[in-house]
């Protein structure tokens, strides 16, 4: 069917937004090519496609952030023209972008009303009303956050929930969510999904971008598949099997993901990394574990259980942390970030934008900057070596970019994430701490990352793998520990690393 028809399987209200013949070109990339798209009131439509397929570009055109090279966007019967974000907002579009856009120095309430602060006469901003309405919408979405808290002090997941609350607060008729759950664990994801369903049931049209098919099935009536800038098809989620949807997305039939080879890890040797008594109040109250060469250790835990803080503390980024760290059996006297790096530790942070990338530098530079030694000759950087290393990484990770020198900020979200991973591949770290390494990457790229992680471990590296998507852990880990109340609570080794076991342990249910 064509996407101009009502979504299958859903009662069609009137069309809320229509795009016809949309084209958008960036230097070296045709991001959108003659796209037709219609969404009706009360409908939740998933947008699915590989990294770089054009999903976020379509969203930016519907939201007025960018104007198409050709084609037209009509919202509620009115052409958007080149009216920009302001006009789109007037017409009832509210968008949660893939990259967070909150102001860390402001409170939650101020962020929810950014630039639209309720006024009270000449006296200025009506703070009581702002706080009241903020509390209301936060309550509606079941976000347990104080409206007076500074956004910068909140964990990433809560920030993501606040982004969503900000869009919902405007009572839009078209709500667009670009990967709204990528920083959330299962429980919060569930909250977001039910909120989205409720919002749609009240007549709002919702566009929902996600790489997680299970989520799409729970929340959306239909899914529009985008590939290489074109809309390939729109199908009812109940009629299409997952392999069918994935095949539409990739343009080829896919093989079942090969089960990963079980490996034996020698845990009788001296651990590569030992952590003892790691304390970082109020989250961590004494974490102990050993990590062996050749091992992938998963860490499970609920949102806020301190997984990211744990990695940051080991890597030397939490000066307040108390801990004893040994590398190769030798105590590290002062485990600062510089000292840990020198000992061969690499880390990818969960917040790509805040800590991972240098936005205006090229993709290649962003990757090789982790180890200039690897691309230097006689003490200075060799452009030829840097180029070769960059090309190799782009190929191994299938990073979609026109050139190595393209500023990384111009890549799609998932391709930025792959480049961040390229960085630690380049650094050849012996100890790798990966915080949500597959966030925002498509299903195929996920498999690629699992294979790379296993390969690195196979070559003697020790890896810590943190993921809120608990179903990833059995696929990639040799051992999984779960955090609870600031301590390690349970430990599973293959074959007991099952989703059921990990879920039960993180939810504090005894199994
Ligand atoms: N500002 C920009 N400048 C140059 N190229 C861009 C820009 N924005 C997007 N692109 C390119 O357009 C293409 C489509 O990108 P888009 O962000 O729409 O992908 P996406 O489907 O959202 O992918 P992802 O799942 O990784 O988020 C990509 O090749 C991307 O590199
Ligand atoms: Mg995107």
């Amino acid at each position: 069917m064509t996407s101009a028809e009502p979504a299958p399987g859903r009662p069609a209200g009137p069309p809320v937004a229509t795009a016809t013949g949309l084209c958008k070109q960036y230097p070296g990339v045709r991001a959108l090519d003659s796209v037709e798209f219609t969404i009706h009131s009360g409908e939740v439509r998933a947008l699915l496609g590989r990294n770089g397929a054009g999903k976020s570009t379509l969203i930016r055109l519907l939201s007025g952030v960018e104007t198409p090279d050709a084609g037209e966007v009509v919202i509620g019967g009115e052409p958007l023209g080149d009216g920009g974000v302001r006009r789109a907002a007037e017409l009832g579009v509210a968008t949660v972008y893939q990259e967070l856009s909150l102001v860390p120095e402001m409170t939650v309430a101020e962020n929810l009303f950014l630039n639209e602060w309720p006024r009270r006469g000449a006296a200025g901003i009506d703070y009581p009303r702002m706080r009241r309405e903020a509390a209301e919408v936060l309550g509606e979405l079941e976000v347990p956050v104080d409206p007076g808290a500074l956004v910068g002090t909140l964990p990433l997941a809560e920030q993501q929930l606040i982004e969503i609350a900000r869009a919902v607060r405007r009572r839009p008729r078209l709500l667009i969510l670009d990967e709204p759950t990528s920083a959330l664990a299962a429980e919060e994801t569930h909250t977001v999904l039910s909120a989205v369903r409720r919002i749609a049931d009240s007549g709002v049209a919702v566009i929902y971008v996600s790489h997680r098919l299970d989520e799409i099935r729970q929340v959306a009536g239909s899914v529009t598949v985008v590939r290489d800038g074109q809309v390939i098809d729109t199908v009812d989620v109940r009629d299409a099997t997952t392999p069918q949807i994935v095949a539409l997305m990739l343009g080829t039939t896919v093989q079942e993901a090969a089960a990963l080879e079980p490996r034996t890890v020698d845990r009788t040797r001296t651990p590569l990394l030992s952590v003892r008594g790691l304390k970082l109040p109020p989250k961590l109250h004494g974490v102990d574990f050993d990590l062996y060469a050749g091992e992938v250790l998963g860490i499970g835990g609920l949102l806020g259980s301190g997984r990211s803080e744990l990695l940051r503390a080991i890597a030397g980024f939490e000066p307040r942390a108390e801990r004893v760290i040994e590398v190769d059996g030798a105590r590290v006297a002062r485990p600062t970030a510089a000292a840990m790096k020198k000992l061969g530790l690499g880390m990818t942070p969960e917040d790509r934008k805040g800590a991972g990338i240098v936005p205006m530098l090229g993709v290649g530079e962003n990757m090789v900057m982790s180890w200039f030694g690897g691309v230097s000759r006689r003490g200075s950087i060799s452009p030829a070596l840097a180029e070769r290393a960059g090309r190799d990484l782009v190929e191994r990770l299938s990073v979609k970019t026109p050139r190595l020198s393209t500023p990384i900020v111009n890549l799609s979200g998932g391709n930025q994430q792959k480049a961040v991973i390229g960085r630690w591949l380049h650094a050849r770290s012996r100890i790798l701490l990966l915080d949500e390494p597959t966030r925002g990457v498509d299903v195929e790229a996920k498999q690629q990352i699992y294979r790379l992680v296993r390969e690195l471990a196979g070559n003697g590296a020790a890896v810590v793998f943190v993921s809120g998507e608990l179903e990833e852990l059995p696929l990639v880990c040799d051992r999984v520990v779960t955090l609870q109340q600031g301590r390690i609570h349970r430990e599973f080794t293959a074959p007991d690393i099952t989703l059921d076991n990990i879920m039960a342990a993180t939810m504090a249910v005894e199994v």
Side-chain angles (χ1 to χ4, degrees), residues 343-405:
L343 288 166
L345 180 137
M347 169 166 155
T348 65
E350 67 169 337
D351 179 3
R352 175 174 70 226
K353 196 172 162 199
I357 60 172
V358 186
M360 295 321 291
L361 280 187
V363 185
E365 288 162 295
N366 263 285
M367 293 191 291
V368 303
M369 70 196 297
S370 59
W371 182 39
F372 285 124
V375 294
S376 296
R377 229 181 240 138
R378 282 182 236 101
S380 54
I381 295 171
S382 149
L385 287 181
E387 164 103 12
R388 196 180 313 153
R391 280 199 189 294
D392 177 53
L393 291 165
V394 159
E395 195 169 315
R396 279 175 81 186
L397 288 154
S398 332
V399 178
K400 188 180 169 200
T401 179
R403 288 183 313 278
L404 278 180
S405 58

Side-chain angles (χ1 to χ4, degrees), residues 257-271:
L260 294 157
E261 296 271 302
R263 292 180 303 113
T264 42
V265 177
D266 181 1
R267 296 194 185 91
T268 59
R269 289 182 301 175
T270 308

Side-chain angles (χ1 to χ4, degrees), residues 51-52 54-57 60 98 178-179 209 211 412-414:
N51 296 130
K55 304 176 296 291
S56 297
T57 306
R60 285 195 297 269
Q98 193 166 7
D178 196 352
E179 301 196 32
V209 182
H211 290 289
S412 77

Side-chain angles (χ1 to χ4, degrees), residues 78-102:
E78 299 278 335
L80 177 57
D82 49 13
V85 193
R86 195 166 284 266
R87 179 76 181 133
E90 278 165 19
L91 294 173
V93 182
T95 306
V96 175
Y97 299 99
Q98 193 166 7
E99 302 294 343
L100 298 183
S101 59
L102 300 167

